[in-house]
Amino acid sequence: MNTNAQHIVVLGAGYAGLSAALRLAPHVRVTLVAPNDHFVERVRLHQLVTPGTEVTVPLARLLRGTGIRHLASRAVDLDLASRQVLTDDGHALAYDRLVYALGSVTDTGSVTDADTDTDTGTRTGDEKVYTADSAAALRKRLLDGPGTLTVVGGGLTGIELAAETAESHPDWQVGLATSGTLGAGLSPKGRDHIRRTLTAMGVRVAEGRRVASADELDTDVAVWATAMRPVTGLAARAGLELDASGRIAVDPTLRTVTDPAVYAIGDAAGTYLRMACATAMPTGSRAAANVLADLRSRQARPLDFRYVVQCISLGRRDGLIQPVRADDSPRSWVLTGRSAAYVKEQIVRSTVRFLGSAAAKARRAVPRGA
């Protein structure tokens, strides 16, 4: 079957959405719906607290010559019966298949009384609380220092934010509070290295301290990094089934269990994977391949993913590379120091290189003169 006339709408231009759109572009018409004009390297958001750092790539650069149409709008409604996406600027996009890749935002829950947009995670009414998503605003606040800053959350995001802030803003007093163990998913050697490094940076670490609200903290700035929440409000309103974690219920091929014309990928999809760019990109590529198989009446393949490593930045001169088993459980040995920082940076940069390579392949497939 010639699929060139088929129209695929991809919602979201993050790691998963771009991976899917670029994989699909040589074979079908693709419309990418995303309000921003740039791709955000979310794995580098913690670096934004350092002055002079940028973590975005213009979408025009990635999409140029690929045939993908970028609609700089926000999807506000899905009509599954008529297979249409409605946007905030009045567009009604008919699709043959839909790929839902709206990702996730930091789950701030009932941190304060500030208002939160359930689809975007944007908060208003509180100048004390920041997240990785608002790290650019946090950088501006830090330049007004000095003061006290407390990171809430002892996972990888919280660790990276605390280390980056302490290193780049030594005039600030930085603390980290976590209800559990610092770096709970790491090996004992990995956790020990992180504790030693943060202590050497002057970060005050409080393990076993549960913080339910920023109002409980005697601090000038609170940075929330406890958990991520999938952006699935749009899906729920449309009638797509969500799983117990609030992610979109999918089968092993990443097709939603509610509607065979809709696929969900990345952080918004209810897979067995943790939320990460390392998992988002493979789901995007696999879903794209399965969309094409579906359109050609061929057998779709289930997602097959195995973990290899966890990478943590500890400022610009130190890091932790934690090898893991296929199920993401940690192995005993680790790589630390400048070597680990270098490896982490190369892995992070490889994501943009992968997207650039996929874009180049899509360009080569576009007929000359098109």
Side-chain angles (χ1 to χ4, degrees):
M1 174 184 176
N2 186 343
T3 60
N4 291 340
Q6 301 293 307
H7 185 213
I8 313 302
V9 173
V10 178
L11 303 182
Y15 293 102
L18 276 176
S19 297
L22 291 168
R23 173 71 174 81
L24 289 164
H27 310 283
V28 293
R29 290 191 302 119
V30 178
T31 298
L32 181 66
V33 181
N36 296 324
D37 61 359
H38 54 269
F39 164 68
V40 178
E41 298 179 73
R42 291 193 71 188
V43 293
R44 295 180 60 210
L45 282 175
H46 62 281
Q47 296 180 21
L48 280 178
V49 301
T50 301
T53 303
E54 294 298 334
V55 299
T56 62
V57 179
L59 280 177
R61 183 195 306 172
L62 287 171
L63 302 181
R64 183 173 54 249
T66 64
I68 297 173
R69 175 196 178 196
H70 173 218
L71 185 61
S73 307
R74 189 182 305 280
V76 294
D77 193 22
L78 302 180
D79 187 335
L80 302 181
S82 63
R83 293 190 179 180
Q84 282 192 327
V85 176
L86 305 180
T87 66
D88 59 357
D89 57 357
H91 285 87
L93 303 173
Y95 62 82
D96 294 290
R97 297 293 184 273
L98 176 71
V99 180
Y100 193 109
L102 293 182
S104 62
V105 294
T106 303
D107 187 1
T108 51
S110 58
V111 173
T112 68
D113 292 330
D115 295 327
T116 302
D117 185 304
T118 57
D119 284 340
T120 67
T122 301
R123 298 180 64 78
T124 58
D126 190 335
E127 296 181 355
K128 178 180 179 179
V129 179
Y130 296 83
T131 68
D133 303 295
S134 59
L138 173 60
R139 176 172 62 192
K140 295 179 180 179
R141 174 65 182 86
L142 291 172
L143 294 175
D144 294 334
T148 57
L149 177 147
T150 303
V151 176
V152 180
L156 306 191
T157 299
I159 291 167
E160 291 187 326
L161 280 165
E164 198 80 25
T165 303
E167 181 180 87
S168 60
H169 297 274
D171 53 337
W172 278 75
Q173 298 177 29
V174 179
L176 185 151
T178 176
S179 60
T181 302
L182 185 70
L186 303 173
S187 66
K189 288 182 180 179
R191 291 195 295 272
D192 287 345
H193 178 72
I194 287 174
R195 289 192 186 102
R196 288 195 303 270
T197 301
L198 292 180
T199 298
M201 288 179 164
V203 178
R204 305 178 312 281
V205 177
E207 298 182 75
R209 181 187 177 187
R210 179 176 178 78
V211 180
S213 168
D215 296 332
E216 300 175 15
L217 298 170
D218 182 16
T219 188
D220 297 313
V221 172
V223 183
W224 220 257
T226 55
M228 302 301 292
R229 174 176 56 76
V231 180
T232 52
L234 180 66
R237 292 193 298 272
L240 292 174
E241 180 181 336
L242 306 184
D243 65 13
S245 68
R247 301 166 83 174
I248 301 172
V250 296
D251 68 16
T253 70
L254 300 172
R255 175 182 270 175
T256 66
V257 300
T258 307
D259 188 333
V262 181
Y263 291 74
I265 57 178
D267 293 356
T271 64
Y272 57 90
L273 305 176
R274 59 179 164 85
M275 296 181 181
C277 81
T279 57
M281 297 177 79
T283 65
S285 297
R286 172 44 44 201
N290 285 342
V291 167
L292 295 174
D294 178 18
L295 295 174
R296 294 164 177 165
S297 299
R298 297 176 182 173
Q299 184 69 38
R301 290 172 51 192
L303 175 68
D304 182 14
F305 181 87
R306 297 183 179 186
Y307 291 97
V308 177
V309 69
Q310 293 185 31
C311 306
I312 303 99
S313 293
L314 298 171
R316 299 296 85 217
R317 297 181 295 274
D318 196 354
L320 174 70
I321 305 300
Q322 173 69 74
V324 297
R325 301 178 181 86
D327 64 355
D328 207 25
S329 61
R331 299 185 184 275
S332 61
W333 66 279
V334 295
L335 177 67
T336 63
R338 288 184 180 273
S339 297
Y342 176 80
V343 172
K344 165 65 187 285
E345 188 64 19
Q346 295 310 304
I347 290 174
V348 168
R349 290 179 183 273
S350 72
T351 60
V352 176
R353 289 196 290 265
F354 171 84
L355 293 173
S357 177
K361 183 176 181 180
R363 291 186 196 103
R364 290 194 296 270
V366 176
R368 292 186 179 182

